[in-house]
Amino acid sequence: MNSEQLALTGWGRTTPSVASLVNISADELTQPGVLDRLDHAGRGIIARGMGRSYGDPAQNGGGTVVRISDGEIAVNSAQGSVRVGAGISLDTLLREIIPLGWFVPVTPGTRFVTVGGAIAADIHGKNHHVDGSFGSHVQQLTLLLADGTQQTLSPVGKHADLFWATVGGMGLTGIILDATFSLIPIETRHCVVTNERVPDFDTLIDKMIASDHLYRYSVAWIDLCATGSSLGRALLSSANHATLDELRSMNPKQTMDPLAYSPPTLADIPSIVPNVINKLTIKAFNELWYRKTPKLQHHTETLTAFFHPLDMVGWWNRLYGRNGFIQYQFVVPDNAIDGLRAIVEKVAAHGHASFVNVLKRFGPGSGGYLSFPTSGWTLTIDVPSGVDGLDALFTELDEMILAVGGRHYLAKDAQLTPGVVNAGYPRLDEWKAIRRTVDPRRRWASDMARRLDLL
Ligand SMILES: Cc1cc2nc3c(=O)[nH]c(=O)nc-3n(C[C@H](O)[C@H](O)[C@H](O)COP(=O)(O)OP(=O)(O)OC[C@H]3O[C@@H](n4cnc5c(N)ncnc54)[C@H](O)[C@@H]3O)c2cc1C
């Protein structure tokens, strides 16, 4: 075990707070009395994975933040599943399982997240409309409870309530020690991808509705600087895993070693860089990005290029400069298309610099009490922190989202209020009741939990 006092932030690099960061093996963490010793300041403990959530859920100012430093991977090929230590990253896991012909059931836009973080946020990927969220694939997990005992949880049966309070529970029911979940069989490390330029919002919605059942993965990058007749213009990218036969016919050279996997990092952004992301650079970038994509393109891409292109640039979050950036993600129901269009109009009219704007379709949610995904449309917006008028814009957007029955993603949040979360998550009180039964003395605590009144 090692411990240091450190200012921690999320990936957005806003709202730092100083905590005692403890790197500890799962074995040490579960020894009798260790939790009492770690909670010496009386401000509680929170687990942290790779700090890839954007806001403050893996921070605990004045208290303790725990990172599990080890873990094993045990693939069960007969069952198509894997048992993994919760501190293991998807990066490490993919390097092990892709050469064996398996892929994770859900991956976010980065592979630098831990299994614990994936379950605690019940993450979604480009395949939510087909496969649901990460928690839907978890067969069993081991939870370290506030009293130092361990509980094995599964989605059905005796402790199912605690399982579903933990899936999406942002680390506030206990520390996940390991999990068993199902895998997707693959024949190659490639996808067959169709990219398409879409001229406006209405065409985009129609195309996504019409084509989603044809593709396991689907995502649209939206140009939120475009207005008028180009409002909502986008690049729609849809894919399936490439079979060996497909690879043979489309790109025979790649069939040499079809499951070899070693994702590259092309560059690291240094720790101090000027903020290069502003209205002008974003507008120019968006124009270029939209124009550079052929109107229709059908080709193969590696898993890295399709799922994790941002990972090729290490610490790209530093490009936003010292103030960091806010990522704002929400979901609105399937039938709230007019509401979604009004939101896109509002953001475009505001004219701020928004860079990574992504629209996806969600299928039905998992059983997680605080799980974010639910049937509908989810839009993600990135904005440099401190832009004029941003707070007012978000307040207006919050109201528009709640008015159509939507909600916000806690793993991206750094600035919501308790009222907004209460309104968006109808099962919040049930979740709080379960949490209190397993943690009556509020051992688990985070900056987010205090800000959003979750304890
Ligand atoms: C570039 C980028 C792209 C992303 N794309 C997506 C996306 O497409 N879909 C999506 O859903 N998310 C996405 N995310 C968000 C990310 O998947 C989640 O925030 C995820 O939770 C981060 O995992 P982490 O291991 O870094 O956890 P952290 O950020 O360190 O922690 C997140 C939460 O998990 C809890 N936690 C961590 N480990 C444990 C544990 N062992 N036991 C209990 N609780 C634990 C923490 O307490 C905290 O509440 C993206 C993030 C980035 C930076």
Side-chain angles (χ1 to χ4, degrees):
M1 164 165 56
N2 66 58
S3 155
E4 57 181 327
Q5 288 287 116
L6 215 58
L8 296 170
T9 68
W11 189 246
R13 307 214 301 160
T14 54
T15 62
S17 66
V18 176
S20 173
L21 177 66
V22 179
N23 285 296
I24 187 167
S25 69
D27 192 40
E28 279 177 289
L29 182 61
T30 51
Q31 296 300 314
V34 167
L35 289 183
D36 291 337
R37 287 204 289 283
L38 289 178
D39 193 9
H40 50 83
R43 285 274 287 178
I45 304 171
I46 195 71
R48 184 175 176 95
M50 298 193 81
R52 258 32 180 213
S53 45
Y54 280 72
D56 51 3
Q59 294 171 219
N60 186 20
T64 302
V65 174
V66 162
R67 203 155 53 186
I68 301 177
S69 59
D70 65 345
E72 287 176 7
I73 299 174
V75 177
N76 184 334
S77 297
Q79 301 282 334
S81 65
V82 65
R83 182 171 191 212
V84 192
I88 298 279
S89 68
L90 295 194
D91 179 52
T92 304
L93 181 60
L94 289 170
R95 287 170 197 270
E96 182 112 1
I97 62 174
I98 289 176
L100 300 175
W102 299 105
F103 194 62
V104 286
V106 170
T107 177
T110 173
R111 57 186 192 277
F112 296 114
V113 302
T114 61
V115 167
I119 296 171
D122 196 10
I123 61 166
H124 55 273
K126 296 173 181 176
N127 56 341
H128 191 278
H129 59 290
V130 174
D131 293 311
S133 54
F134 200 94
S136 310
H137 304 272
V138 177
Q139 297 161 354
Q140 191 169 293
L141 63 84
T142 312
L143 191 68
L144 178 64
L145 299 175
D147 62 6
T149 60
Q150 294 175 41
Q151 188 74 69
T152 302
L153 306 176
S154 43
V156 288
K158 196 166 165 211
H159 301 295
D161 271 0
L162 185 52
F163 176 93
W164 290 113
T166 300
V167 169
M170 303 308 283
L172 295 166
T173 59
I175 299 182
I176 301 161
L177 297 172
D178 59 59
T180 303
F181 52 89
S182 54
L183 298 170
I184 294 176
I186 53 171
E187 293 181 22
T188 74
R189 64 166 190 284
H190 287 87
C191 288
V192 178
V193 182
T194 302
N195 289 325
E196 193 177 355
R197 254 202 255 169
V198 185
D200 56 58
F201 178 86
D202 290 338
T203 315
L204 177 64
I205 296 295
D206 289 347
K207 278 195 183 289
M208 288 179 85
I209 292 173
S211 69
D212 266 4
H213 67 284
L214 301 174
Y215 298 98
R216 184 167 211 158
Y217 303 101
S218 171
V219 68
W221 169 85
I222 291 204
D223 178 358
L224 284 181
C225 297
T227 53
S229 60
S230 297
L231 181 88
R233 71 178 179 177
L235 304 175
L236 177 58
S237 184
S238 313
N240 289 312
H241 287 284
T243 62
L244 256 179
D245 281 347
E246 282 167 325
L247 210 54
R248 249 180 232 119
S249 69
M250 293 179 75
N251 211 334
K253 273 196 210 146
Q254 292 170 344
T255 51
M256 280 270 282
D257 196 355
L259 289 168
Y261 179 70
S262 61
T265 300
L266 303 181
D268 269 354
I269 303 297
S271 56
I272 300 175
V273 285
N275 178 5
V276 295
I277 295 185
N278 56 48
K279 269 186 198 180
L280 284 179
T281 53
I282 290 296
K283 207 163 182 202
F285 172 86
N286 285 0
E287 185 68 31
L288 192 74
W289 195 253
Y290 183 75
R291 299 271 165 222
K292 91 162 184 57
T293 303
K295 280 194 173 144
L296 187 63
Q297 184 186 40
H298 189 62
H299 65 166
T300 61
E301 281 181 22
T302 62
L303 294 170
T304 307
F306 182 71
F307 289 106
H308 308 128
L310 290 170
D311 288 345
M312 288 195 237
V313 181
W315 303 107
W316 59 265
N317 55 342
R318 292 174 178 161
L319 289 171
Y320 284 87
R322 264 192 321 192
N323 289 340
F325 68 112
I326 309 259
Q327 188 161 100
Y328 183 89
Q329 183 173 359
F330 61 89
V331 57
V332 295
D334 282 311
N335 60 6
I337 289 168
D338 289 341
L340 182 61
R341 187 190 298 101
I343 290 167
V344 170
E345 269 164 359
K346 166 99 24 210
V347 176
H350 187 263
H352 70 279
S354 183
F355 186 33
V356 184
N357 310 301
V358 170
L359 182 70
K360 295 182 207 176
R361 250 153 81 77
F362 278 163
S366 69
Y369 288 87
L370 290 194
S371 187
F372 165 66
T374 177
S375 289
W377 302 90
T378 182
L379 181 65
T380 308
I381 305 169
D382 264 5
V383 199
S385 177
V387 167
D388 278 349
L390 203 58
D391 289 347
L393 173 69
F394 283 148
T395 304
E396 277 185 79
L397 295 183
D398 290 349
E399 282 165 13
M400 293 169 87
I401 290 158
L402 292 176
V404 294
R407 63 177 173 231
H408 302 75
Y409 190 14
L410 297 183
K412 303 287 177 76
D413 168 49
Q415 42 83 45
L416 291 174
T417 58
V420 172
V421 174
N422 249 311
Y425 285 86
R427 300 176 77 199
L428 182 60
D429 284 343
E430 284 174 79
W431 176 83
K432 282 184 180 173
I434 296 169
R435 213 200 75 78
R436 276 189 213 113
T437 61
V438 287
D439 186 16
R441 293 166 61 194
R442 301 178 185 189
R443 164 142 283 166
W444 313 119
S446 64
D447 290 355
M448 167 176 272
R450 282 186 282 269
R451 175 169 58 83
L452 294 179
D453 197 14
L454 297 177
L455 300 178

